Every structure is written in C-alpha cells, then in structure tokens.
C-alpha cells in the first residue's frame, strides 16, 4: 500500500504470507495449520478464517478440507501479538486489541490524513 499510494519504500516489513495457490506454500501450511492463521483471500472482518493456535482438532480438520478443495481462495500468516489499547467496557476499563487503519483522500493527489 505504501509503494502504491505514496511511491515510497515501506519502513517495516510485511507479515510473512503463504499463498496457498502455490504448491510449496500449500504443503507447508497443511503441515502447520495448528500454528498459523489462515484467511480467505477475499474475506474481511475476521470471517471465514482459522486461528490455528486457538482451534480444536475438529475445526482444523474441517478447515483443512476447505483449503484442499480451493487452495487459491486462501492465504496463511503466522499469529502475531497484537497491540492493545485501554477501552471502556461495561465492567470498567480493559485492554482490547487494535490495528492500524489508513485514511487516504484520493483525487488529483493522494494524501494520508490524520484520523482515528
């Protein structure tokens, strides 16, 4: 995204990603499902994914069948420790996971705007 929108080289590396349409990547992922996060290529919002370390053997086996049936529909990544932010909830303040969302304005120029 940084290269595309800003024409700059990223400072931070991307998360390692296995493309399951590639036979070598598919073999690796199928052997390590219990350690990885597997996502639908066109998925969003945490739907249609497997979080291996928190999944049961049955859930992993069911997801394995989906991957084998349509490997090009999935990617896999290692699990990451996500940042947390103090968040007000019914019981008071508690940590909740957060991630970064980019806010861009696109027109004659593309501008990254300061926004939450």
């Amino acid at each position: 995204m940084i290269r595309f929108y800003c024409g700059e080289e990223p400072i931070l590396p991307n998360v390692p990603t296995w493309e399951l349409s590639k036979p070598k990547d598919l073999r690796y992922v199928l052997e390590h499902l219990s350690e990885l996060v597997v996502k639908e290529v066109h998925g969003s919002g945490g739907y249609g994914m497997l979080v291996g370390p928190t999944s049961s053997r049955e859930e992993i086996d069911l997801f394995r069948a989906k991957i084998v049936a349509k490997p090009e529909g999935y990617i896999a990544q290692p699990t990451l420790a996500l940042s947390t932010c103090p968040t007000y909830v019914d019981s008071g303040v508690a940590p909740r996971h957060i991630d970064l969302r980019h806010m861009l304005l696109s027109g004659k120029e593309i501008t990254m705007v300061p926004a939450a």
Side-chain angles (χ1 to χ4, degrees), residues 20 26 29-30 33 38-39 50 60-76:
L20 305 194
L26 176 60
V29 170
L30 290 175
L33 279 176
V38 184
K39 305 173 185 180
L50 174 81
I60 291 171
D61 290 343
L62 290 170
F63 212 88
R64 178 187 310 277
K66 291 181 184 182
I67 292 168
V68 169
K70 190 179 177 186
E72 69 279 4
Y74 298 92
I75 60 166

Side-chain angles (χ1 to χ4, degrees), residues 4-111:
F4 182 84
Y5 287 111
C6 299
E8 299 173 6
E9 286 301 307
I11 296 171
L12 300 173
N14 284 331
V15 175
T17 302
W18 291 272
E19 297 177 41
L20 305 194
S21 59
K22 297 178 180 178
K24 184 178 177 182
D25 287 2
L26 176 60
R27 274 191 307 277
Y28 176 83
V29 170
L30 290 175
E31 292 171 4
H32 296 90
L33 279 176
S34 65
E35 305 163 26
L36 301 169
V37 174
V38 184
K39 305 173 185 180
E40 291 180 327
V41 171
H42 299 291
S44 66
Y47 299 103
M49 62 189 294
L50 174 81
V51 181
T54 63
S55 298
S56 69
R57 182 86 247 151
E58 182 182 5
E59 290 168 327
I60 291 171
D61 290 343
L62 290 170
F63 212 88
R64 178 187 310 277
K66 291 181 184 182
I67 292 168
V68 169
K70 190 179 177 186
E72 69 279 4
Y74 298 92
I75 60 166
Q77 297 175 320
T79 55
L80 301 175
L82 300 175
S83 299
T84 61
C85 178
T87 306
Y88 182 74
V89 295
D90 289 339
S91 60
V93 177
R96 293 294 184 259
H97 293 293
I98 60 171
D99 58 17
L100 175 64
R101 300 287 183 209
H102 314 314
M103 304 297 174
L104 302 171
L105 299 177
S106 180
K108 289 182 182 179
E109 296 181 8
I110 296 172
T111 305

